[in-house]
Amino acid sequence: MSTLLPFRSCLILPLVLMALNACSTQVELRTAAQQEQFAQEAASQGDWERAMRNYAAAADNAELGRGDFAWQARLHHQAGRAASGACRYDAAEFHFRQAIALAKKTERSSALSYKALIDQYERQGKSTQALAVRNELGFHQAWALGAFADLESLPVGKPCGVPR
């Protein structure tokens, strides 16, 4: 019996595994795009809880599929906005911080996520945390956040703590 057959299978196996990995990556990215659409639909209906879950799942799938960091940052930012609308402040803070970290990796602006995080803290009456986030930015960048004042605000639904 020839040793050539086992040697060939050793060469083919890595190629098969790479092809399977590429397929799973594409599946994850398509799933992320579909979940983003579901999240947008839920957000347009004011269903912030469902929007948050779908944006968070989309962000997870985009990460698994090795989607670009800018897209992942946008998904986390939108998940944070939806979480804020759903009165899930811990989740909102997590997603805004993730968006900021991912935006920094792409050297893109993270100003909207910083603004959203500051706005959320101010809504909650947490002025110390809001000031700490402003200090993370530095004076000039924090001052420039005023330019985003009318561009985007956190969603407003029923006041938090009010039974639905």
Side-chain angles (χ1 to χ4, degrees):
M1 199 136 148
S2 171
T3 59
L4 190 56
L5 185 60
F7 181 70
R8 277 192 222 155
S9 64
C10 288
L11 292 176
I12 293 173
L13 183 61
L15 295 174
V16 170
L17 291 175
M18 285 180 2
L20 288 174
N21 187 35
C23 288
S24 69
T25 297
Q26 292 304 312
V27 168
E28 298 293 348
L29 294 177
R30 279 195 301 271
T31 302
Q34 187 175 35
Q35 288 167 320
E36 182 179 21
Q37 288 178 338
F38 293 151
Q40 289 168 344
E41 181 181 314
S44 72
Q45 296 170 1
D47 187 345
W48 301 116
E49 193 71 39
R50 187 168 53 112
M52 176 195 66
R53 285 192 308 271
N54 281 306
Y55 277 124
D60 289 344
N61 279 308
E63 181 182 358
L64 287 172
R66 293 188 277 290
D68 74 330
F69 291 137
W71 183 32
Q72 291 180 48
R74 188 181 78 241
L75 291 170
H76 276 291
H77 177 80
Q78 293 301 337
R81 292 186 74 241
S84 182
C87 303
R88 300 277 308 276
Y89 297 127
D90 290 344
E93 179 182 355
F94 168 79
H95 288 294
F96 289 139
R97 294 247 179 230
Q98 289 295 106
I100 290 165
L102 287 162
K104 286 179 179 178
K105 286 182 179 181
T106 65
E107 297 180 9
R108 292 189 180 204
S109 175
S110 54
L112 282 178
S113 295
Y114 270 115
K115 180 188 178 308
L117 186 56
I118 291 167
D119 288 351
Q120 178 185 295
Y121 283 143
E122 288 176 348
R123 273 190 189 178
Q124 293 177 271
K126 295 182 175 182
S127 55
T128 304
Q129 287 91 332
L131 182 61
V133 173
R134 285 186 192 278
N135 289 338
E136 281 179 40
L137 285 170
F139 173 75
H140 294 292
Q141 288 178 327
W143 180 80
L145 285 180
F148 293 108
D150 295 328
L151 187 60
E152 181 181 82
S153 61
L154 293 175
V156 178
K158 289 185 176 180
C160 296
V162 174
R164 299 197 193 283

